[in-house]
Amino acid sequence: MAPHVPNVLAVVMGGGQGTRLWPLTQDRSKPAVPLAGKYRIVDIPISNCINSGYRRVYLLTQFNTASLHRHISQSYKFDHFSGGFVELLAAEQTMHSTSWYQGTADAVRKNLAHLLNHDWEYCLILSGDQLYRMDFRRIIAQHAESQADLTIATIPVPRESAQALGILQINNDRRIVRFVEKPKDPGVLDSLRIPRESYENLDIEGDEDFYLASMGIYVFNRSVMVKLLDNDFTDFGKHIIPGAITTHRVFSYVYQGYWEDIGTIKSFFEANLDGAEELPKFNFFDMSSPIYTRPRFLPGSKINGASIDHGIVSDGCIISHAHISHSVIGIRSFVGLGTNLHRVIMMGADYYESQASMLENLNAGRPRMGIGQHCRIENTILDKNARIGDNCVISPAGKPENFDGPNYVIRDGIVIIPKNGIIPHGTVI
């Protein structure tokens, strides 16, 4: 008899409007935001699925889906015989419903008919804006072993992080007995602490107080999912799960490792820059479980005498005599002579500018795509296809934490030049 291989369908939640990542989400959905020079955020959960052997993945999305759609269709093509797919399910108006997705549970409920068309035992629900590497076979195995109806992936977090997350309490069998969303009350927090005697059992190292936070990763049994969605509740974390704890067997899978929710400009910026460190917290070089993305067939980057200190340089760039430190340079980037970049995320370009276009822009006094000569830029995100002129200075120093300028914005103390933004020659921000 063949060994029993769990039959799993994965669903990645594409997130709402992504307002906390604005203006990076002005023209694209959150999962389509570029990451680490050549990837997009959505490549992370999809790669985790493929590396775990789960090749049927739906992506639920509703805002600015065009670029995400293009990326998915150009990146994830399985052969006809494997039965694998990565497909988008965008919010659609039907005879039964004309409204947008109201929350995570509502999004899954509205697509339940599509999902149930497939044969699966377990549904794995993932978030589209997290940076982590997880072998999902482990959570599925624990889910089956403990005969759970629902399993929630959790991560031990220190007290200061606990107040912003959904915190769970488990018994000795790892069954969840209590769930509190974003506990602020010190007394409630104290009561949710993981007991010290459980540290060894849960492989927790360190002697500070830890709390089990929900990672927004769930495993549902098929029949349980249908039953738990048979109502009008809109959100898993807020509504469905607290109720399910009292009526169903809900267990916690405890994950140890790097996990970053990259939902804000600050966390996105820091997670990207961390990739340029000598020992990054997230290792893109781990070929036992690679991160996949779209194959682009770009030439290797050309460096004409630049000095680079802790930098990531992606494919197809041309970098002249510039000084780059602690920065991420995205695909097809041009960096001019004498330019100094420190703590800069340059997302690169979607195409190479033609000679005719460069000439046309030159005559109109507009800079070419990329960064011109003799610029000084720090603590800045340059979105795709930005044009930065010569002799520009861009820095958040001495400015408010959040500010909306004419052709730039500042969020969390980081300057952002939006997609296709133009910064004229000699501009000082």
Side-chain angles (χ1 to χ4, degrees):
M1 225 177 99
H4 173 65
V5 179
N7 195 346
V8 175
L9 180 74
V11 176
V12 179
M13 310 305 293
Q17 262 169 317
T19 43
R20 296 182 306 159
L21 272 180
W22 191 89
L24 303 179
T25 48
Q26 193 168 309
D27 301 312
R28 55 169 91 86
S29 61
K30 205 157 42 168
V33 171
L35 177 76
K38 59 179 285 189
Y39 305 95
R40 291 178 185 255
I41 293 176
V42 74
D43 292 331
I44 301 293
I46 294 176
S47 298
N48 279 327
C49 287
I50 293 172
N51 292 331
S52 303
Y54 303 144
R55 294 178 162 224
R56 296 183 301 162
V57 182
Y58 275 124
L59 242 147
L60 305 192
T61 166
Q62 62 181 337
F63 288 100
N64 291 335
T65 53
S67 67
L68 182 64
H69 214 279
R70 198 168 57 240
H71 174 71
I72 294 296
S73 63
Q74 290 171 336
S75 305
Y76 300 101
K77 290 187 181 356
F78 296 104
D79 64 58
H80 295 300
F81 307 103
S82 70
F85 61 81
V86 178
E87 273 178 37
L88 252 73
L89 289 176
E92 56 184 358
Q93 295 199 333
T94 63
M95 291 313 214
H96 308 292
S97 162
T98 54
S99 67
W100 290 102
Y101 298 152
Q102 306 300 312
T104 48
D106 184 58
V108 174
R109 181 185 300 110
K110 284 185 173 143
N111 287 292
L112 206 52
H114 290 296
L115 306 183
L116 293 174
N117 277 337
H118 296 274
D119 169 37
W120 49 271
E121 239 180 309
Y122 305 124
C123 184
L124 177 65
I125 303 232
L126 306 169
S127 166
D129 55 357
Q130 298 173 347
L131 185 55
Y132 65 103
R133 194 180 252 108
M134 190 191 270
D135 184 343
F136 295 134
R137 286 172 295 200
R138 293 186 170 174
I139 183 171
I140 297 287
Q142 187 198 297
H143 178 83
E145 245 165 65
S146 57
Q147 297 179 335
D149 293 321
L150 163 60
T151 297
I152 300 171
T154 57
I155 186 165
V157 298
R159 191 176 179 109
E160 60 273 14
S161 311
Q163 303 178 16
L165 297 160
I167 302 299
L168 307 159
Q169 203 170 27
I170 57 174
N171 66 15
N172 292 339
D173 300 329
R174 303 194 180 198
R175 184 166 176 172
I176 296 169
V177 291
R178 195 165 154 228
F179 177 88
V180 183
E181 181 76 33
K182 299 180 182 167
K184 298 279 189 285
D185 182 304
V188 172
L189 263 170
D190 290 342
S191 70
L192 289 164
R193 235 189 344 239
I194 302 172
R196 290 295 159 102
E197 55 272 21
S198 307
Y199 279 23
E200 196 180 334
N201 186 19
L202 299 173
D203 298 319
I204 295 174
E205 290 170 7
D207 17 294
E208 54 181 318
D209 288 346
F210 282 106
Y211 300 80
L212 275 186
S214 166
M215 297 168 69
I217 295 172
Y218 314 119
V219 178
F220 282 92
N221 287 358
R222 187 179 178 111
S223 58
V224 172
M225 186 169 189
V226 172
K227 192 173 167 197
L228 287 177
L229 287 174
D230 187 13
N231 48 50
D232 296 329
F233 292 137
T234 53
D235 204 75
F236 283 125
K238 289 193 190 79
H239 313 120
I240 301 249
I241 284 158
I245 289 167
T246 55
T247 57
H248 289 74
R249 290 174 62 80
V250 184
F251 284 76
S252 154
Y253 170 80
V254 182
Y255 165 82
Q256 309 276 0
Y258 175 73
W259 175 75
E260 187 58 63
D261 178 0
I262 38 185
T264 65
I265 291 292
K266 190 172 177 62
S267 61
F268 172 81
F269 186 68
E270 296 298 344
N272 266 278
L273 289 189
D274 180 69
E277 293 302 312
E278 261 156 75
L279 286 172
K281 298 189 188 87
F282 185 89
N283 180 13
F284 279 97
F285 289 81
D286 177 359
M287 286 301 113
S288 63
S289 53
I291 302 301
Y292 306 100
T293 191
R294 176 179 154 203
R296 293 191 183 84
F297 315 114
L298 288 169
S301 286
K302 197 160 59 166
I303 317 281
N304 304 322
S307 76
I308 299 177
D309 167 20
H310 291 85
I312 293 174
V313 179
S314 305
D315 309 351
C317 300
I318 297 179
I319 297 176
S320 300
H321 289 261
H323 181 72
I324 296 172
S325 65
H326 297 278
S327 295
V328 177
I329 309 297
I331 50 170
R332 304 188 192 91
S333 289
F334 282 79
V335 181
L337 180 90
T339 280
N340 199 323
L341 305 181
H342 178 61
R343 288 174 59 83
V344 171
I345 295 170
M346 186 175 183
M347 289 185 174
D350 288 317
Y351 53 90
Y352 288 118
E353 199 171 8
S354 67
Q355 285 304 123
S357 165
M358 278 186 221
L359 208 61
E360 192 186 313
N361 279 300
L362 184 72
N363 293 335
R366 273 194 304 267
R368 63 174 290 177
M369 214 136 86
I371 302 175
Q373 304 185 356
H374 306 292
C375 294
R376 183 171 67 79
I377 304 177
E378 58 187 35
N379 290 310
T380 295
I381 298 174
L382 305 172
D383 205 337
K384 286 253 183 102
N385 311 335
R387 299 167 182 270
I388 312 292
D390 299 339
N391 305 306
C392 292
V393 178
I394 304 177
S395 166
K399 298 182 189 63
E401 281 276 291
N402 297 299
F403 179 76
D404 290 11
N407 48 3
Y408 69 94
V409 303
I410 301 178
R411 289 291 179 272
D412 301 333
I414 295 148
V415 182
I416 303 156
I417 309 297
K419 192 174 178 184
N420 303 314
I422 299 174
I423 304 293
H425 300 292
T427 302
V428 176
I429 290 179

